[in-house]
PDB file of all heavy atoms in Angstrom:
ATOM      1  N   LYS A 588     -33.584   8.622  -2.355  1.00  0.00           N
ATOM      2  CA  LYS A 588     -34.355   9.757  -2.866  1.00  0.00           C
ATOM      3  C   LYS A 588     -33.524  10.531  -3.876  1.00  0.00           C
ATOM      4  O   LYS A 588     -32.305  10.645  -3.749  1.00  0.00           O
ATOM      5  CB  LYS A 588     -34.760  10.673  -1.705  1.00  0.00           C
ATOM      6  CG  LYS A 588     -35.586  11.890  -2.109  1.00  0.00           C
ATOM      7  CD  LYS A 588     -36.030  12.676  -0.883  1.00  0.00           C
ATOM      8  CE  LYS A 588     -34.863  13.319  -0.172  1.00  0.00           C
ATOM      9  NZ  LYS A 588     -35.307  14.191   0.950  1.00  0.00           N
ATOM     10  N   PHE A 589     -34.204  11.062  -4.900  1.00  0.00           N
ATOM     11  CA  PHE A 589     -33.596  12.015  -5.827  1.00  0.00           C
ATOM     12  C   PHE A 589     -34.540  13.196  -5.968  1.00  0.00           C
ATOM     13  O   PHE A 589     -35.756  13.028  -6.109  1.00  0.00           O
ATOM     14  CB  PHE A 589     -33.355  11.395  -7.200  1.00  0.00           C
ATOM     15  CG  PHE A 589     -32.908  12.400  -8.230  1.00  0.00           C
ATOM     16  CD1 PHE A 589     -31.593  12.829  -8.270  1.00  0.00           C
ATOM     17  CD2 PHE A 589     -33.809  12.943  -9.140  1.00  0.00           C
ATOM     18  CE1 PHE A 589     -31.175  13.772  -9.203  1.00  0.00           C
ATOM     19  CE2 PHE A 589     -33.407  13.880 -10.078  1.00  0.00           C
ATOM     20  CZ  PHE A 589     -32.083  14.292 -10.106  1.00  0.00           C
ATOM     21  N   MET A 590     -33.964  14.390  -5.947  1.00  0.00           N
ATOM     22  CA  MET A 590     -34.788  15.585  -6.055  1.00  0.00           C
ATOM     23  C   MET A 590     -34.053  16.635  -6.873  1.00  0.00           C
ATOM     24  O   MET A 590     -32.833  16.789  -6.764  1.00  0.00           O
ATOM     25  CB  MET A 590     -35.110  16.130  -4.662  1.00  0.00           C
ATOM     26  CG  MET A 590     -36.076  17.306  -4.649  1.00  0.00           C
ATOM     27  SD  MET A 590     -36.702  17.650  -2.976  1.00  0.00           S
ATOM     28  CE  MET A 590     -35.172  18.054  -2.134  1.00  0.00           C
ATOM     29  N   LEU A 591     -34.799  17.338  -7.728  1.00  0.00           N
ATOM     30  CA  LEU A 591     -34.252  18.455  -8.496  1.00  0.00           C
ATOM     31  C   LEU A 591     -35.163  19.662  -8.307  1.00  0.00           C
ATOM     32  O   LEU A 591     -36.391  19.549  -8.408  1.00  0.00           O
ATOM     33  CB  LEU A 591     -34.139  18.102  -9.978  1.00  0.00           C
ATOM     34  CG  LEU A 591     -33.555  19.179 -10.907  1.00  0.00           C
ATOM     35  CD1 LEU A 591     -32.755  18.543 -12.042  1.00  0.00           C
ATOM     36  CD2 LEU A 591     -34.644  20.087 -11.499  1.00  0.00           C
ATOM     37  N   THR A 592     -34.552  20.787  -8.024  1.00  0.00           N
ATOM     38  CA  THR A 592     -35.282  22.057  -7.948  1.00  0.00           C
ATOM     39  C   THR A 592     -34.553  23.080  -8.806  1.00  0.00           C
ATOM     40  O   THR A 592     -33.335  22.991  -9.010  1.00  0.00           O
ATOM     41  CB  THR A 592     -35.368  22.573  -6.503  1.00  0.00           C
ATOM     42  OG1 THR A 592     -34.038  22.759  -5.985  1.00  0.00           O
ATOM     43  CG2 THR A 592     -36.124  21.598  -5.617  1.00  0.00           C
ATOM     44  N   SER A 593     -35.286  24.043  -9.320  1.00  0.00           N
ATOM     45  CA  SER A 593     -34.673  25.080 -10.155  1.00  0.00           C
ATOM     46  C   SER A 593     -35.333  26.424  -9.865  1.00  0.00           C
ATOM     47  O   SER A 593     -36.508  26.492  -9.481  1.00  0.00           O
ATOM     48  CB  SER A 593     -34.802  24.727 -11.638  1.00  0.00           C
ATOM     49  OG  SER A 593     -36.149  24.482 -11.988  1.00  0.00           O
ATOM     50  N   GLN A 594     -34.563  27.484 -10.078  1.00  0.00           N
ATOM     51  CA  GLN A 594     -35.053  28.829  -9.777  1.00  0.00           C
ATOM     52  C   GLN A 594     -34.315  29.850 -10.637  1.00  0.00           C
ATOM     53  O   GLN A 594     -33.096  29.746 -10.825  1.00  0.00           O
ATOM     54  CB  GLN A 594     -34.844  29.136  -8.292  1.00  0.00           C
ATOM     55  CG  GLN A 594     -35.366  30.491  -7.853  1.00  0.00           C
ATOM     56  CD  GLN A 594     -35.088  30.760  -6.390  1.00  0.00           C
ATOM     57  OE1 GLN A 594     -34.067  30.323  -5.865  1.00  0.00           O
ATOM     58  NE2 GLN A 594     -35.984  31.482  -5.729  1.00  0.00           N
ATOM     59  N   ILE A 595     -35.068  30.824 -11.162  1.00  0.00           N
ATOM     60  CA  ILE A 595     -34.467  31.929 -11.920  1.00  0.00           C
ATOM     61  C   ILE A 595     -34.685  33.223 -11.154  1.00  0.00           C
ATOM     62  O   ILE A 595     -35.811  33.545 -10.756  1.00  0.00           O
ATOM     63  CB  ILE A 595     -35.077  32.054 -13.325  1.00  0.00           C
ATOM     64  CG1 ILE A 595     -34.659  30.870 -14.199  1.00  0.00           C
ATOM     65  CG2 ILE A 595     -34.629  33.354 -13.994  1.00  0.00           C
ATOM     66  CD1 ILE A 595     -35.207  30.925 -15.610  1.00  0.00           C
ATOM     67  N   ILE A 596     -33.607  33.943 -10.948  1.00  0.00           N
ATOM     68  CA  ILE A 596     -33.673  35.288 -10.377  1.00  0.00           C
ATOM     69  C   ILE A 596     -32.876  36.195 -11.305  1.00  0.00           C
ATOM     70  O   ILE A 596     -31.645  36.121 -11.365  1.00  0.00           O
ATOM     71  CB  ILE A 596     -33.100  35.339  -8.952  1.00  0.00           C
ATOM     72  CG1 ILE A 596     -33.875  34.401  -8.021  1.00  0.00           C
ATOM     73  CG2 ILE A 596     -33.127  36.767  -8.420  1.00  0.00           C
ATOM     74  CD1 ILE A 596     -33.330  34.347  -6.610  1.00  0.00           C
ATOM     75  N   GLY A 597     -33.589  37.018 -12.056  1.00  0.00           N
ATOM     76  CA  GLY A 597     -32.932  37.897 -13.013  1.00  0.00           C
ATOM     77  C   GLY A 597     -32.228  37.105 -14.091  1.00  0.00           C
ATOM     78  O   GLY A 597     -32.838  36.297 -14.798  1.00  0.00           O
ATOM     79  N   LYS A 598     -30.938  37.300 -14.217  1.00  0.00           N
ATOM     80  CA  LYS A 598     -30.132  36.619 -15.224  1.00  0.00           C
ATOM     81  C   LYS A 598     -29.430  35.371 -14.669  1.00  0.00           C
ATOM     82  O   LYS A 598     -28.535  34.833 -15.312  1.00  0.00           O
ATOM     83  CB  LYS A 598     -29.071  37.578 -15.786  1.00  0.00           C
ATOM     84  CG  LYS A 598     -29.637  38.704 -16.625  1.00  0.00           C
ATOM     85  CD  LYS A 598     -30.205  38.172 -17.948  1.00  0.00           C
ATOM     86  CE  LYS A 598     -30.695  39.293 -18.841  1.00  0.00           C
ATOM     87  NZ  LYS A 598     -31.206  38.773 -20.136  1.00  0.00           N
ATOM     88  N   GLU A 599     -29.845  34.926 -13.502  1.00  0.00           N
ATOM     89  CA  GLU A 599     -29.181  33.783 -12.872  1.00  0.00           C
ATOM     90  C   GLU A 599     -30.155  32.618 -12.702  1.00  0.00           C
ATOM     91  O   GLU A 599     -31.237  32.762 -12.143  1.00  0.00           O
ATOM     92  CB  GLU A 599     -28.612  34.182 -11.509  1.00  0.00           C
ATOM     93  CG  GLU A 599     -27.868  33.061 -10.805  1.00  0.00           C
ATOM     94  CD  GLU A 599     -27.195  33.517  -9.523  1.00  0.00           C
ATOM     95  OE1 GLU A 599     -26.523  34.581  -9.555  1.00  0.00           O
ATOM     96  OE2 GLU A 599     -27.342  32.814  -8.499  1.00  0.00           O
ATOM     97  N   LEU A 600     -29.736  31.449 -13.204  1.00  0.00           N
ATOM     98  CA  LEU A 600     -30.492  30.205 -13.055  1.00  0.00           C
ATOM     99  C   LEU A 600     -29.744  29.289 -12.094  1.00  0.00           C
ATOM    100  O   LEU A 600     -28.549  29.047 -12.261  1.00  0.00           O
ATOM    101  CB  LEU A 600     -30.651  29.508 -14.408  1.00  0.00           C
ATOM    102  CG  LEU A 600     -31.166  28.057 -14.387  1.00  0.00           C
ATOM    103  CD1 LEU A 600     -32.598  27.987 -13.865  1.00  0.00           C
ATOM    104  CD2 LEU A 600     -31.063  27.431 -15.780  1.00  0.00           C
ATOM    105  N   SER A 601     -30.452  28.790 -11.095  1.00  0.00           N
ATOM    106  CA  SER A 601     -29.868  27.840 -10.139  1.00  0.00           C
ATOM    107  C   SER A 601     -30.615  26.522 -10.233  1.00  0.00           C
ATOM    108  O   SER A 601     -31.847  26.493 -10.153  1.00  0.00           O
ATOM    109  CB  SER A 601     -29.957  28.381  -8.706  1.00  0.00           C
ATOM    110  OG  SER A 601     -29.214  29.570  -8.562  1.00  0.00           O
ATOM    111  N   ILE A 602     -29.864  25.444 -10.410  1.00  0.00           N
ATOM    112  CA  ILE A 602     -30.443  24.096 -10.456  1.00  0.00           C
ATOM    113  C   ILE A 602     -29.751  23.263  -9.390  1.00  0.00           C
ATOM    114  O   ILE A 602     -28.529  23.128  -9.387  1.00  0.00           O
ATOM    115  CB  ILE A 602     -30.265  23.452 -11.839  1.00  0.00           C
ATOM    116  CG1 ILE A 602     -30.989  24.277 -12.902  1.00  0.00           C
ATOM    117  CG2 ILE A 602     -30.787  22.018 -11.834  1.00  0.00           C
ATOM    118  CD1 ILE A 602     -30.756  23.791 -14.317  1.00  0.00           C
ATOM    119  N   ARG A 603     -30.541  22.718  -8.500  1.00  0.00           N
ATOM    120  CA  ARG A 603     -29.990  21.920  -7.401  1.00  0.00           C
ATOM    121  C   ARG A 603     -30.526  20.489  -7.498  1.00  0.00           C
ATOM    122  O   ARG A 603     -31.733  20.283  -7.671  1.00  0.00           O
ATOM    123  CB  ARG A 603     -30.375  22.520  -6.052  1.00  0.00           C
ATOM    124  CG  ARG A 603     -29.751  21.793  -4.857  1.00  0.00           C
ATOM    125  CD  ARG A 603     -30.295  22.349  -3.543  1.00  0.00           C
ATOM    126  NE  ARG A 603     -29.956  23.744  -3.380  1.00  0.00           N
ATOM    127  CZ  ARG A 603     -28.819  24.185  -2.840  1.00  0.00           C
ATOM    128  NH1 ARG A 603     -27.906  23.313  -2.424  1.00  0.00           N
ATOM    129  NH2 ARG A 603     -28.592  25.479  -2.718  1.00  0.00           N
ATOM    130  N   THR A 604     -29.625  19.521  -7.407  1.00  0.00           N
ATOM    131  CA  THR A 604     -30.028  18.116  -7.347  1.00  0.00           C
ATOM    132  C   THR A 604     -29.476  17.503  -6.074  1.00  0.00           C
ATOM    133  O   THR A 604     -28.403  17.877  -5.596  1.00  0.00           O
ATOM    134  CB  THR A 604     -29.513  17.308  -8.550  1.00  0.00           C
ATOM    135  OG1 THR A 604     -28.085  17.226  -8.497  1.00  0.00           O
ATOM    136  CG2 THR A 604     -29.947  17.923  -9.860  1.00  0.00           C
ATOM    137  N   SER A 605     -30.220  16.549  -5.543  1.00  0.00           N
ATOM    138  CA  SER A 605     -29.736  15.787  -4.390  1.00  0.00           C
ATOM    139  C   SER A 605     -30.113  14.328  -4.577  1.00  0.00           C
ATOM    140  O   SER A 605     -31.223  14.008  -5.008  1.00  0.00           O
ATOM    141  CB  SER A 605     -30.328  16.327  -3.087  1.00  0.00           C
ATOM    142  OG  SER A 605     -31.733  16.193  -3.075  1.00  0.00           O
ATOM    143  N   PHE A 606     -29.165  13.459  -4.291  1.00  0.00           N
ATOM    144  CA  PHE A 606     -29.339  12.015  -4.450  1.00  0.00           C
ATOM    145  C   PHE A 606     -28.861  11.344  -3.175  1.00  0.00           C
ATOM    146  O   PHE A 606     -27.818  11.706  -2.618  1.00  0.00           O
ATOM    147  CB  PHE A 606     -28.527  11.527  -5.651  1.00  0.00           C
ATOM    148  CG  PHE A 606     -28.254  10.044  -5.649  1.00  0.00           C
ATOM    149  CD1 PHE A 606     -29.231   9.148  -6.046  1.00  0.00           C
ATOM    150  CD2 PHE A 606     -27.020   9.549  -5.247  1.00  0.00           C
ATOM    151  CE1 PHE A 606     -28.982   7.783  -6.041  1.00  0.00           C
ATOM    152  CE2 PHE A 606     -26.759   8.190  -5.240  1.00  0.00           C
ATOM    153  CZ  PHE A 606     -27.746   7.306  -5.639  1.00  0.00           C
ATOM    154  N   SER A 607     -29.611  10.357  -2.711  1.00  0.00           N
ATOM    155  CA  SER A 607     -29.178   9.635  -1.516  1.00  0.00           C
ATOM    156  C   SER A 607     -29.644   8.186  -1.575  1.00  0.00           C
ATOM    157  O   SER A 607     -30.722   7.881  -2.086  1.00  0.00           O
ATOM    158  CB  SER A 607     -29.719  10.298  -0.245  1.00  0.00           C
ATOM    159  OG  SER A 607     -31.136  10.267  -0.217  1.00  0.00           O
ATOM    160  N   VAL A 608     -28.793   7.295  -1.079  1.00  0.00           N
ATOM    161  CA  VAL A 608     -29.142   5.897  -0.821  1.00  0.00           C
ATOM    162  C   VAL A 608     -28.849   5.669   0.647  1.00  0.00           C
ATOM    163  O   VAL A 608     -27.730   5.912   1.109  1.00  0.00           O
ATOM    164  CB  VAL A 608     -28.331   4.928  -1.703  1.00  0.00           C
ATOM    165  CG1 VAL A 608     -28.541   3.495  -1.245  1.00  0.00           C
ATOM    166  CG2 VAL A 608     -28.731   5.070  -3.157  1.00  0.00           C
ATOM    167  N   ASN A 609     -29.844   5.190   1.376  1.00  0.00           N
ATOM    168  CA  ASN A 609     -29.750   5.193   2.832  1.00  0.00           C
ATOM    169  C   ASN A 609     -29.490   3.831   3.460  1.00  0.00           C
ATOM    170  O   ASN A 609     -29.380   3.738   4.685  1.00  0.00           O
ATOM    171  CB  ASN A 609     -31.043   5.776   3.422  1.00  0.00           C
ATOM    172  CG  ASN A 609     -31.310   7.179   2.904  1.00  0.00           C
ATOM    173  OD1 ASN A 609     -30.387   7.982   2.759  1.00  0.00           O
ATOM    174  ND2 ASN A 609     -32.561   7.473   2.593  1.00  0.00           N
ATOM    175  N   ILE A 610     -29.413   2.775   2.654  1.00  0.00           N
ATOM    176  CA  ILE A 610     -29.150   1.447   3.202  1.00  0.00           C
ATOM    177  C   ILE A 610     -27.968   0.819   2.474  1.00  0.00           C
ATOM    178  O   ILE A 610     -27.595   1.246   1.377  1.00  0.00           O
ATOM    179  CB  ILE A 610     -30.386   0.529   3.120  1.00  0.00           C
ATOM    180  CG1 ILE A 610     -30.831   0.333   1.669  1.00  0.00           C
ATOM    181  CG2 ILE A 610     -31.532   1.084   3.947  1.00  0.00           C
ATOM    182  CD1 ILE A 610     -32.002  -0.622   1.537  1.00  0.00           C
ATOM    183  N   ALA A 611     -27.385  -0.208   3.090  1.00  0.00           N
ATOM    184  CA  ALA A 611     -26.145  -0.797   2.576  1.00  0.00           C
ATOM    185  C   ALA A 611     -26.375  -1.764   1.430  1.00  0.00           C
ATOM    186  O   ALA A 611     -25.499  -1.946   0.585  1.00  0.00           O
ATOM    187  CB  ALA A 611     -25.397  -1.500   3.707  1.00  0.00           C
ATOM    188  N   SER A 612     -27.541  -2.414   1.374  1.00  0.00           N
ATOM    189  CA  SER A 612     -27.782  -3.387   0.307  1.00  0.00           C
ATOM    190  C   SER A 612     -29.275  -3.569   0.079  1.00  0.00           C
ATOM    191  O   SER A 612     -30.095  -3.304   0.969  1.00  0.00           O
ATOM    192  CB  SER A 612     -27.133  -4.736   0.640  1.00  0.00           C
ATOM    193  OG  SER A 612     -27.739  -5.310   1.782  1.00  0.00           O
ATOM    194  N   PHE A 613     -29.604  -4.019  -1.141  1.00  0.00           N
ATOM    195  CA  PHE A 613     -30.981  -4.301  -1.523  1.00  0.00           C
ATOM    196  C   PHE A 613     -31.073  -5.759  -1.969  1.00  0.00           C
ATOM    197  O   PHE A 613     -30.158  -6.277  -2.615  1.00  0.00           O
ATOM    198  CB  PHE A 613     -31.424  -3.420  -2.698  1.00  0.00           C
ATOM    199  CG  PHE A 613     -31.462  -1.947  -2.401  1.00  0.00           C
ATOM    200  CD1 PHE A 613     -30.317  -1.174  -2.517  1.00  0.00           C
ATOM    201  CD2 PHE A 613     -32.639  -1.330  -2.022  1.00  0.00           C
ATOM    202  CE1 PHE A 613     -30.343   0.184  -2.265  1.00  0.00           C
ATOM    203  CE2 PHE A 613     -32.677   0.030  -1.763  1.00  0.00           C
ATOM    204  CZ  PHE A 613     -31.529   0.792  -1.883  1.00  0.00           C
ATOM    205  N   THR A 614     -32.181  -6.403  -1.668  1.00  0.00           N
ATOM    206  CA  THR A 614     -32.407  -7.740  -2.199  1.00  0.00           C
ATOM    207  C   THR A 614     -32.722  -7.636  -3.686  1.00  0.00           C
ATOM    208  O   THR A 614     -33.123  -6.576  -4.183  1.00  0.00           O
ATOM    209  CB  THR A 614     -33.573  -8.435  -1.482  1.00  0.00           C
ATOM    210  OG1 THR A 614     -34.777  -7.697  -1.731  1.00  0.00           O
ATOM    211  CG2 THR A 614     -33.321  -8.507   0.020  1.00  0.00           C
ATOM    212  N   GLN A 615     -32.547  -8.743  -4.403  1.00  0.00           N
ATOM    213  CA  GLN A 615     -32.786  -8.721  -5.842  1.00  0.00           C
ATOM    214  C   GLN A 615     -34.248  -8.438  -6.166  1.00  0.00           C
ATOM    215  O   GLN A 615     -34.565  -7.939  -7.254  1.00  0.00           O
ATOM    216  CB  GLN A 615     -32.351 -10.046  -6.463  1.00  0.00           C
ATOM    217  CG  GLN A 615     -33.176 -11.255  -6.047  1.00  0.00           C
ATOM    218  CD  GLN A 615     -32.573 -12.546  -6.540  1.00  0.00           C
ATOM    219  OE1 GLN A 615     -31.667 -13.076  -5.927  1.00  0.00           O
ATOM    220  NE2 GLN A 615     -33.073 -13.053  -7.648  1.00  0.00           N
ATOM    221  N   GLU A 616     -35.165  -8.709  -5.229  1.00  0.00           N
ATOM    222  CA  GLU A 616     -36.576  -8.407  -5.456  1.00  0.00           C
ATOM    223  C   GLU A 616     -36.821  -6.901  -5.561  1.00  0.00           C
ATOM    224  O   GLU A 616     -37.820  -6.468  -6.127  1.00  0.00           O
ATOM    225  CB  GLU A 616     -37.426  -8.991  -4.317  1.00  0.00           C
ATOM    226  CG  GLU A 616     -37.549 -10.506  -4.323  1.00  0.00           C
ATOM    227  CD  GLU A 616     -36.311 -11.206  -3.801  1.00  0.00           C
ATOM    228  OE1 GLU A 616     -35.486 -10.526  -3.148  1.00  0.00           O
ATOM    229  OE2 GLU A 616     -36.157 -12.419  -4.050  1.00  0.00           O
ATOM    230  N   TYR A 617     -35.912  -6.116  -5.025  1.00  0.00           N
ATOM    231  CA  TYR A 617     -36.036  -4.659  -5.051  1.00  0.00           C
ATOM    232  C   TYR A 617     -35.515  -4.073  -6.363  1.00  0.00           C
ATOM    233  O   TYR A 617     -35.640  -2.882  -6.621  1.00  0.00           O
ATOM    234  CB  TYR A 617     -35.241  -4.075  -3.877  1.00  0.00           C
ATOM    235  CG  TYR A 617     -35.757  -2.762  -3.330  1.00  0.00           C
ATOM    236  CD1 TYR A 617     -36.506  -2.723  -2.162  1.00  0.00           C
ATOM    237  CD2 TYR A 617     -35.489  -1.564  -3.971  1.00  0.00           C
ATOM    238  CE1 TYR A 617     -36.971  -1.520  -1.648  1.00  0.00           C
ATOM    239  CE2 TYR A 617     -35.948  -0.361  -3.468  1.00  0.00           C
ATOM    240  CZ  TYR A 617     -36.693  -0.347  -2.308  1.00  0.00           C
ATOM    241  OH  TYR A 617     -37.154   0.843  -1.813  1.00  0.00           O
ATOM    242  N   TYR A 618     -34.935  -4.923  -7.201  1.00  0.00           N
ATOM    243  CA  TYR A 618     -34.208  -4.430  -8.371  1.00  0.00           C
ATOM    244  C   TYR A 618     -35.087  -3.618  -9.321  1.00  0.00           C
ATOM    245  O   TYR A 618     -34.661  -2.586  -9.852  1.00  0.00           O
ATOM    246  CB  TYR A 618     -33.575  -5.599  -9.129  1.00  0.00           C
ATOM    247  CG  TYR A 618     -32.864  -5.175 -10.397  1.00  0.00           C
ATOM    248  CD1 TYR A 618     -31.693  -4.432 -10.341  1.00  0.00           C
ATOM    249  CD2 TYR A 618     -33.373  -5.507 -11.652  1.00  0.00           C
ATOM    250  CE1 TYR A 618     -31.038  -4.036 -11.496  1.00  0.00           C
ATOM    251  CE2 TYR A 618     -32.729  -5.117 -12.813  1.00  0.00           C
ATOM    252  CZ  TYR A 618     -31.562  -4.383 -12.727  1.00  0.00           C
ATOM    253  OH  TYR A 618     -30.924  -3.987 -13.870  1.00  0.00           O
ATOM    254  N   GLY A 619     -36.318  -4.066  -9.559  1.00  0.00           N
ATOM    255  CA  GLY A 619     -37.196  -3.348 -10.479  1.00  0.00           C
ATOM    256  C   GLY A 619     -37.423  -1.914 -10.046  1.00  0.00           C
ATOM    257  O   GLY A 619     -37.368  -0.984 -10.867  1.00  0.00           O
ATOM    258  N   ASP A 620     -37.678  -1.707  -8.758  1.00  0.00           N
ATOM    259  CA  ASP A 620     -37.875  -0.347  -8.243  1.00  0.00           C
ATOM    260  C   ASP A 620     -36.601   0.480  -8.377  1.00  0.00           C
ATOM    261  O   ASP A 620     -36.645   1.660  -8.749  1.00  0.00           O
ATOM    262  CB  ASP A 620     -38.302  -0.400  -6.774  1.00  0.00           C
ATOM    263  CG  ASP A 620     -39.689  -0.978  -6.594  1.00  0.00           C
ATOM    264  OD1 ASP A 620     -40.434  -1.054  -7.590  1.00  0.00           O
ATOM    265  OD2 ASP A 620     -40.029  -1.366  -5.459  1.00  0.00           O
ATOM    266  N   LEU A 621     -35.462  -0.138  -8.073  1.00  0.00           N
ATOM    267  CA  LEU A 621     -34.193   0.580  -8.143  1.00  0.00           C
ATOM    268  C   LEU A 621     -33.854   0.940  -9.589  1.00  0.00           C
ATOM    269  O   LEU A 621     -33.358   2.041  -9.873  1.00  0.00           O
ATOM    270  CB  LEU A 621     -33.090  -0.286  -7.532  1.00  0.00           C
ATOM    271  CG  LEU A 621     -31.789   0.406  -7.140  1.00  0.00           C
ATOM    272  CD1 LEU A 621     -32.033   1.468  -6.084  1.00  0.00           C
ATOM    273  CD2 LEU A 621     -30.775  -0.610  -6.625  1.00  0.00           C
ATOM    274  N   ARG A 622     -34.128   0.029 -10.498  1.00  0.00           N
ATOM    275  CA  ARG A 622     -33.866   0.273 -11.923  1.00  0.00           C
ATOM    276  C   ARG A 622     -34.713   1.437 -12.439  1.00  0.00           C
ATOM    277  O   ARG A 622     -34.218   2.318 -13.158  1.00  0.00           O
ATOM    278  CB  ARG A 622     -34.160  -0.999 -12.717  1.00  0.00           C
ATOM    279  CG  ARG A 622     -33.929  -0.894 -14.211  1.00  0.00           C
ATOM    280  CD  ARG A 622     -34.069  -2.269 -14.844  1.00  0.00           C
ATOM    281  NE  ARG A 622     -33.873  -2.226 -16.275  1.00  0.00           N
ATOM    282  CZ  ARG A 622     -34.857  -2.196 -17.170  1.00  0.00           C
ATOM    283  NH1 ARG A 622     -36.116  -2.223 -16.751  1.00  0.00           N
ATOM    284  NH2 ARG A 622     -34.600  -2.155 -18.454  1.00  0.00           N
ATOM    285  N   GLU A 623     -35.979   1.469 -12.070  1.00  0.00           N
ATOM    286  CA  GLU A 623     -36.855   2.558 -12.493  1.00  0.00           C
ATOM    287  C   GLU A 623     -36.422   3.879 -11.863  1.00  0.00           C
ATOM    288  O   GLU A 623     -36.458   4.940 -12.510  1.00  0.00           O
ATOM    289  CB  GLU A 623     -38.299   2.230 -12.105  1.00  0.00           C
ATOM    290  CG  GLU A 623     -39.318   3.298 -12.493  1.00  0.00           C
ATOM    291  CD  GLU A 623     -39.421   3.507 -13.994  1.00  0.00           C
ATOM    292  OE1 GLU A 623     -39.011   2.612 -14.768  1.00  0.00           O
ATOM    293  OE2 GLU A 623     -39.912   4.584 -14.401  1.00  0.00           O
ATOM    294  N   PHE A 624     -36.003   3.825 -10.610  1.00  0.00           N
ATOM    295  CA  PHE A 624     -35.525   5.017  -9.909  1.00  0.00           C
ATOM    296  C   PHE A 624     -34.335   5.628 -10.650  1.00  0.00           C
ATOM    297  O   PHE A 624     -34.291   6.839 -10.911  1.00  0.00           O
ATOM    298  CB  PHE A 624     -35.146   4.629  -8.479  1.00  0.00           C
ATOM    299  CG  PHE A 624     -34.486   5.712  -7.676  1.00  0.00           C
ATOM    300  CD1 PHE A 624     -35.239   6.723  -7.097  1.00  0.00           C
ATOM    301  CD2 PHE A 624     -33.117   5.715  -7.478  1.00  0.00           C
ATOM    302  CE1 PHE A 624     -34.632   7.721  -6.343  1.00  0.00           C
ATOM    303  CE2 PHE A 624     -32.496   6.699  -6.727  1.00  0.00           C
ATOM    304  CZ  PHE A 624     -33.260   7.704  -6.158  1.00  0.00           C
TER     305      PHE A 624
END
Side-chain angles (χ1 to χ4, degrees):
K588 181 176 67 175
F589 172 79
M590 185 167 62
L591 181 147
T592 59
S593 54
Q594 182 182 33
I595 291 181
I596 300 177
K598 291 291 184 178
E599 182 174 313
L600 168 65
S601 297
I602 298 174
R603 184 186 298 273
T604 67
S605 62
F606 161 79
S607 63
V608 170
N609 302 320
I610 60 177
S612 65
F613 296 85
T614 63
Q615 67 188 82
E616 288 77 16
Y617 209 101
Y618 177 69
D620 292 344
L621 197 61
R622 180 172 179 261
E623 180 63 20
F624 173 79

